[in-house]
């Protein structure tokens, strides 16, 4: 009985191995076959190229496909994920490493279906879940623009993805489960401007890829669209639903200012959002920025939650720490200094219910911020070694109570958790 069972098991195992080898061989042949084909040319008028350029900006393609100090759209940007590190690919017209052999149909399939020209499924770091509603004429304009840029012969960086996510065949199942779901609107409205904003935010801008929390398989939790994502990276991505924005004091004017310049009374663009502002939103037409703001807040925008800086408190230790370490740049009473340090009064970082980002900034510091135009903010030193968990918690509590209207006490355990997370 046991011998018979072992014999059957061996035969089954052999069949599985044979099937895997056949699939691998078929995939290799398919890739080889599809890697052939003519180099494509895309004729376009100046008007079509300008339209394509605008759409590529709105889609923020450069953020993932242009490495620091690299050639535009030549790829190489490392994209960290829970499953490993991926790299943005070369999307210049180079026929060897880029999209030089892609037709307009191939390009549309890659954007909206996550399907490469050789047929292999793309990792969802390519935001095809968001792009699936992209208009065909927009895809064609983007294709024409990219195909008329200089070809850059730069090989694509190798991905470093953990098992089993490194087996691309599994992506077919992932796409079947998660790639075709509709993204519900995050605000209420029906005006033409709201509709345009929804297309810019949910499709072209794919804002939900960062601002929407994800499930254990990396899928977007579409029932919580734009509700923020605390697991995106070192910094938490904020809630940008109408209620979330209003709770931190945002209104249409401050949002428009922030997206256009990176600086507003509510925040200075930082971390990944600084790249978005520099490469995308600051370069959009004012009408498109206005449409984005309309969609984020809805046709009937909620009133921002009022806030007034708390009255001066006593000389508590945290206040003395503020004067010793913070006031030199942020001012005697948090008023900030232009092009040096932001105004803390009613700033999103201190009004946010979750002190996560404020604590991380204190622990790690911040780099120099080069903003659109000639504006910049100087670097902020890290205080993780100078202050212990209790001192940072105390300072964060004092700043949030005084400048953010947040009464909750920040616990030292929250600081310790973030400090330890950075050391892993």
């Amino acid at each position: 009985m046991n011998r018979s069972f072992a014999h059957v098991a061996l035969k089954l195992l052999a069949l599985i191995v044979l099937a895997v080898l056949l699939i691998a061989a078929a995939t290799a042949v398919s890739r080889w076959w599809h890697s052939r084909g003519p180099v494509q040319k895309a004729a376009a008028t100046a008007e079509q190229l300008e339209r394509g350029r605008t759409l590529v900006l709105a889609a923020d393609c450069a953020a993932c496909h242009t490495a620091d100090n690299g050639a535009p759209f030549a790829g190489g940007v490392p994209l960290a994920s829970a499953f490993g590190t991926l790299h943005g690919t070369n999307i210049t017209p180079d026929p060897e490493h880029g999209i030089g052999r892609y037709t307009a149909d191939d390009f549309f399939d890659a954007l909206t279906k996550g399907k490469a020209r050789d047929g292999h499924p793309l990792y969802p770091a390519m935001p095809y879940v968001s792009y699936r509603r992209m208009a065909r004429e927009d895809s064609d304009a983007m294709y024409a623009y990219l195909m008329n840029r200089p070809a850059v012969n730069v090989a694509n960086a190798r991905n470093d993805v953990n098992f089993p996510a490194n087996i691309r065949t599994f992506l077919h199942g992932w796409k079947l489960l998660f790639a075709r779901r509709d993204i519900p609107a995050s605000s209420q409205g029906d005006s033409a401007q709201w509709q345009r904003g929804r297309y810019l935010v949910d499709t072209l801008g794919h804002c939900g890829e960062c601002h929407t929390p994800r499930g254990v398989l990396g899928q977007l939790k579409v029932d919580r669209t734009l509700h923020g994502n605390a697991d995106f990276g070192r910094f938490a991505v904020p809630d940008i639903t109408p209620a979330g924005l209003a709770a931190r004091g945002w209104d249409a004017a401050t949002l428009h200012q922030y997206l256009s310049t990176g600086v507003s009374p509510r925040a200075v663009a930082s971390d990944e959002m600084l790249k978005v502002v520099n490469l995308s939103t600051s370069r959009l037409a004012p009408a498109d920025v206005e449409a984005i703001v309309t969609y984020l807040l809805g046709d009937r925008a909620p009133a921002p939650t009022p806030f007034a800086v708390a009255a001066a408190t006593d000389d508590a230790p945290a206040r003395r720490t503020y004067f010793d370490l913070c006031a030199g740049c942020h001012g005697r009473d948090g008023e900030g200094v232009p092009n040096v340090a932001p105004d803390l009064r009613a700033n999103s970082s201190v009004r946010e219910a979750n002190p996560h980002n404020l604590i991380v900034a204190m622990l790690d510091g911040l780099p120099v911020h080069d903003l659109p135009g000639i504006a910049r903010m100087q670097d902020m030193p890290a205080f993780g070694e100078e202050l212990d968990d209790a001192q940072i918690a105390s300072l964060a509590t004092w700043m949030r109570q005084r400048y953010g209207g947040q009464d909750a006490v920040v616990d030292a355990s929250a600081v310790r958790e973030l400090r330890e997370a950075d050391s892993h």
Side-chain angles (χ1 to χ4, degrees):
M1 180 70 178
N2 289 339
R3 182 175 297 176
S4 176
F5 177 78
H7 181 70
V8 171
L10 282 173
K11 287 181 66 176
L12 181 60
L13 180 61
L15 287 173
I16 292 174
V17 170
L18 180 62
V20 170
L21 289 175
L22 287 173
I23 291 173
T27 301
V29 170
S30 174
R31 287 192 177 189
W32 170 79
W33 180 258
H34 285 88
S35 67
R36 296 159 54 88
V39 175
Q40 301 294 319
K41 299 292 183 185
T45 65
E47 183 181 12
Q48 290 170 325
L49 294 179
E50 176 56 26
R51 174 173 164 74
R53 187 191 72 85
T54 300
L55 291 164
V56 166
L57 286 175
D60 202 17
C61 302
C64 295
H65 294 282
T66 300
D68 292 340
N69 303 315
F73 306 113
V77 179
L79 306 167
S81 77
F83 308 98
T85 301
L86 301 161
H87 292 88
T89 55
N90 186 335
I91 57 171
T92 72
D94 180 68
E96 184 177 3
H97 305 296
I99 60 172
R101 298 182 193 276
Y102 273 63
T103 65
D105 287 342
D106 296 331
F107 186 77
F108 184 67
D109 283 350
L111 288 184
T112 61
K113 300 176 183 175
K115 177 185 173 186
R117 179 173 174 272
D118 65 4
H120 78 262
L122 300 176
Y123 284 109
M126 171 68 179
Y128 47 82
V129 174
S130 299
Y131 286 165
R132 65 180 290 256
R133 294 294 185 190
M134 184 178 293
R136 178 58 194 255
E137 59 267 31
D138 286 352
S139 171
D140 289 349
M142 294 168 68
Y143 171 76
Y145 171 73
L146 291 170
M147 288 293 287
N148 281 278
R149 291 193 55 81
V152 182
N153 186 250
V154 173
N156 290 306
R158 189 178 180 83
N159 295 324
D160 183 17
V161 182
N162 306 322
F163 178 82
N166 59 343
I167 301 176
R168 287 201 186 241
T169 302
F170 292 156
L171 287 173
H172 291 294
W174 189 94
K175 290 168 67 174
L176 189 65
L177 289 172
F178 305 121
R180 308 303 293 174
R181 298 183 301 173
D182 285 330
I183 298 174
S186 60
S187 69
Q188 300 294 316
D190 57 8
S191 67
Q193 193 171 50
W194 184 90
Q195 298 286 355
R196 172 64 177 166
R198 184 179 184 185
Y199 183 65
L200 288 167
V201 170
D202 287 346
T203 301
L204 277 177
H206 57 278
C207 302
E209 300 285 339
C210 296
H211 287 275
T212 297
R214 292 180 179 271
V216 294
L217 296 179
Q219 78 278 17
L220 294 176
K221 292 183 176 179
V222 293
D223 59 333
R224 295 184 56 77
T225 300
L226 305 187
H227 277 69
N229 183 358
D231 302 319
F232 182 78
R234 181 65 171 154
F235 285 94
V237 183
D239 179 340
I240 56 170
T241 62
L245 290 166
R248 301 195 304 279
W250 291 93
D251 58 15
T254 51
L255 269 178
H256 197 292
Q257 184 180 2
Y258 176 82
L259 293 171
S260 300
T261 68
V263 180
S264 81
R266 294 293 163 269
V268 171
S270 189
D271 199 43
E272 293 298 322
M273 196 59 202
L274 176 59
K275 186 181 289 189
V276 172
V277 170
N278 273 323
L279 296 176
S280 179
T281 58
S282 68
R283 305 184 185 200
L284 298 179
D288 278 345
V289 177
E290 196 65 39
I292 290 172
V293 170
T294 297
Y295 174 66
L296 290 176
L297 293 174
D299 274 342
R300 294 184 178 181
T305 303
F307 168 75
V309 173
T313 54
D314 57 19
D315 60 345
R319 184 168 183 255
R320 292 198 295 276
T321 302
Y322 175 84
F323 277 107
D324 289 342
L325 301 178
C326 312
C329 295
H330 287 287
R332 179 178 176 82
D333 200 13
E335 65 272 23
V337 177
N339 291 309
V340 175
D343 188 339
L344 294 176
R345 299 168 301 183
N347 189 291
S348 272
S349 63
V350 292
R351 292 194 71 173
E352 176 67 64
N354 186 341
H356 180 120
N357 287 352
L358 181 61
I359 294 171
V360 170
M362 291 179 178
L363 286 171
D364 301 355
L366 294 168
V368 169
H369 285 40
D370 288 314
L371 295 150
I374 59 172
R376 64 170 10 204
M377 290 289 168
Q378 73 176 30
D379 62 313
M380 172 182 157
F383 297 111
E385 294 186 0
E386 189 170 349
L387 302 177
D388 62 25
D389 296 343
Q391 288 173 313
I392 287 182
S394 176
L395 179 58
T397 298
W398 183 83
M399 291 175 65
R400 282 160 49 83
Q401 290 176 346
R402 178 148 178 76
Y403 302 123
Q406 292 288 348
D407 294 330
V409 173
V410 177
D411 196 278
S413 63
V415 181
R416 183 170 61 254
E417 184 177 333
L418 287 169
R419 188 192 296 273
E420 291 175 350
D422 188 42
S423 64
H424 292 161

